[in-house]
């Protein structure tokens, strides 16, 4: 169902982009010209600073403590502000949310009728939707742009929601629009598109599939000029094999511009990561290592398990050692998870035990990440350790590797290759 909804959402967006799209072809390395008498290239445009933004967007940045753009924000500014379809690939914690919100909101505020533009941000979880919506609301506080969660069905210029809610909002917005512009962002695009090439590719391939999606969304080729800008955003985009998400994106959106930071697909440079070998055959060794690391911590910490039940067991171990902690799992309600997240942020030495749900996009503001259970693959590893060392701050990640477990020892070697920059990616 998730793959079908993501395919439908992207299909609708891509369908509107077919008419009038001006996105350039992806960047390619060009051969050196043989001619010597070539006019000098024009000087590069000045680097993006927050001074280029609409003045109404700047106060929120100052309140949030942002004074200088990060690499991802400088890289994305011009293409996204100009309306190009783009894929932004940048390491976890590098400021990707602001990298797409700032240029797209600035473009909407430049319209003759500021209320005529719409921005939809689709994300994989309710928790991330709430976080992105709160940031967009803060940025737009001094503007006429209205912000809401897509699930609220409230009239708005900016809507943020999970794939089902985003698809419903898109259909309702398409029906009501008479011209104007629409911007669609798919954040955490690799997980939102996971399975799309295999399970739902036929539903969005070819003109017939696009026509069906337009009909389902209440759109048509006529009825006023429409232009949709599509932006995909991710920290990881696996590219191995024709069935990978990266290969699918290249086939499905061949004119999309690729924007990739220097550190993409690698942990940020401010992260100190280590692997700790533990022997599951020795009773209590891994549990003792977890307690020792948390007892000596200086700040907040996240502890990852590979399942909700595993997180509950880890929390029980910590509480048995008189270490207070919260839980963050899919079995909890959104309200319960929000309460746990707020409690963590209020406690300078708080501990939150999580399942993999916590690994995508959410900013926990922690100094330490411990993988009590090692991630099942390198993509999940990158997202988990990316919960710390965010926004230029330092952080630590400790991962327990069980001796003699081939999968975990192989993942450790794969991560080490990735850090050296030899991991395969697009």
């Amino acid at each position: 169902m998730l793959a079908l909804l993501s395919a439908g959402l992207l299909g609708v967006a891509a369908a509107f982009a077919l008419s009038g799209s001006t996105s350039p072809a992806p960047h390619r390395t060009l051969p050196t010209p043989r001619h010597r008498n070539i006019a000098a290239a024009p000087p590069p445009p000045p680097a993006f600073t927050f001074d280029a933004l609409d003045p109404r967007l700047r106060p929120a940045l100052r309140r949030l403590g942002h004074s200088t753009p990060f690499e991802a924000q400088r890289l994305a500014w011009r293409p996204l502000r100009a309306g190009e379809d783009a894929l932004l690939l940048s390491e976890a914690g590098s400021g990707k949310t602001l990298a797409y919100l700032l240029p797209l909101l600035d473009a909407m505020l430049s319209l003759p009728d500021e209320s005529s533009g719409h921005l939809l941000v689709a994300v994989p979880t309710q928790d991330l939707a709430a976080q992105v919506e709160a940031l967009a609301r803060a940025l737009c506080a001094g503007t006429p742009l209205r912000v809401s969660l897509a699930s609220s069905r409230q009239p708005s210029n900016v809507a943020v929601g999970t794939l089902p809610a985003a698809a419903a909002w898109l259909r309702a917005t398409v029906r009501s629009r008479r011209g104007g512009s629409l911007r669609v962002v798919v954040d955490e695009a690799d997980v939102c598109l996971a399975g799309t090439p295999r399970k739902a590719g036929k539903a969005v391939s070819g003109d017939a599939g696009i026509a069906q999606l337009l009909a389902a969304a209440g759109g048509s080729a006529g009825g006023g000029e429409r232009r949709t800008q599509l932006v995909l955003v991710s920290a990881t985009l696996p590219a191995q094999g024709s069935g990978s998400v990266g290969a699918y994106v290249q086939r499905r959106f061949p004119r999309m511009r690729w924007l990739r930071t220097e550190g993409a697909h690698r942990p940020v440079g401010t992260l100190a990561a280590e692997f700790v070998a533990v022997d599951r055959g020795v009773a209590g060794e891994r549990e003792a290592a977890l307690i020792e690391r948390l007892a000596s911590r200086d700040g907040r910490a996240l502890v990852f398990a590979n399942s909700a039940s595993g997180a509950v067991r880890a929390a029980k171990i910590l509480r048995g050692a008189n270490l207070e902690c919260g839980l963050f799992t899919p079995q909890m309600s959104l309200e319960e998870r929000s309460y746990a997240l707020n409690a963590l942020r209020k406690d300078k030495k708080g501990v939150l035990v999580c399942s993999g749900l916590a690994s995508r996009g959410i900013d926990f503001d922690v100094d330490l990440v411990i993988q009590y259970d090692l991630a099942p693959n390198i993509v999940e590893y990158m997202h988990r350790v990316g919960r710390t060392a965010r926004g230029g701050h330092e952080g630590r990640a400790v991962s327990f590797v069980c001796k003699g477990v081939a999968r975990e020892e192989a993942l450790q070697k794969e991560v080490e290759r990735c850090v050296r920059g030899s991991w395969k990616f697009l």
Side-chain angles (χ1 to χ4, degrees), residues 60-114:
L61 288 174
R62 288 194 293 269
R63 289 194 299 270
L64 294 169
H66 297 288
S67 58
T68 304
F70 292 124
E71 180 189 4
Q73 294 154 12
R74 297 192 299 269
L75 184 66
W77 167 254
R78 289 185 179 278
L80 269 58
R81 180 62 175 78
E84 294 186 38
D85 297 338
L87 184 147
L88 175 60
L89 187 62
S90 181
E91 59 271 29
S94 59
K96 290 186 294 297
T97 307
L98 281 177
Y100 64 75
L101 282 179
L102 292 178
L104 298 181
L105 293 174
D106 190 80
M108 293 169 68
L109 291 172
S110 71
L111 296 172
D113 179 1
E114 294 177 339

Side-chain angles (χ1 to χ4, degrees), residues 49 72 133 192 222:
T49 68
E133 190 267 352
C192 287

Side-chain angles (χ1 to χ4, degrees), residues 126-127 130 149 327-329 331-343:
Q126 292 176 311
D127 308 272
L149 289 171
L327 270 173
F328 194 96
T329 70
Q331 281 66 29
M332 301 165 63
S333 68
L334 177 61
E335 292 73 21
E336 289 172 327
R337 292 196 300 271
S338 297
Y339 179 85
L341 179 55
N342 289 330

Side-chain angles (χ1 to χ4, degrees), residues 18-44:
L18 286 178
S19 59
S21 175
T22 59
S23 304
H27 281 211
R28 302 182 188 280
T29 302
L30 299 178
T32 303
R34 297 179 180 179
H35 306 80
R36 292 186 177 274
N37 298 322
I38 300 177

Side-chain angles (χ1 to χ4, degrees), residues 263-331:
H265 278 148
R266 289 192 292 276
V268 294
T270 54
L271 175 70
E274 64 174 308
F275 292 90
V276 177
V278 294
D279 191 341
R280 278 188 174 175
V282 178
E285 180 173 316
R286 187 167 59 135
E287 292 80 358
L290 174 63
I291 293 169
E292 179 186 355
R293 293 283 176 167
L294 288 176
S296 61
R297 73 191 186 282
D298 294 323
R300 301 182 187 92
L302 288 186
V303 177
F304 277 100
N306 284 345
S307 65
S309 59
V312 172
R313 288 193 298 271
K316 185 177 180 180
I317 291 167
L318 295 178
R319 290 165 182 164
N322 295 319
L323 287 170
E324 291 299 319
C325 62
L327 270 173
F328 194 96
T329 70
Q331 281 66 29

Side-chain angles (χ1 to χ4, degrees), residues 115-188:
S115 63
S116 65
H118 291 89
L119 168 62
L120 171 65
V121 181
V123 297
T125 68
Q126 292 176 311
D127 308 272
L128 184 53
Q131 177 177 289
V132 175
E133 190 267 352
L135 178 57
R137 185 180 295 275
L139 290 171
C140 295
T143 77
L145 300 179
R146 297 168 295 173
V147 181
S148 72
L149 289 171
S151 57
S152 71
R153 306 295 178 89
Q154 296 177 0
S156 61
N157 303 98
V158 181
V160 186
T162 60
L163 285 166
W169 183 93
L170 181 58
R171 294 188 189 97
T173 302
V174 166
R175 291 192 188 100
S176 63
R177 285 176 66 213
R178 296 293 183 270
S181 60
L182 172 66
R183 296 160 176 85
V184 176
V185 176
V186 181
D187 203 347
E188 302 291 340

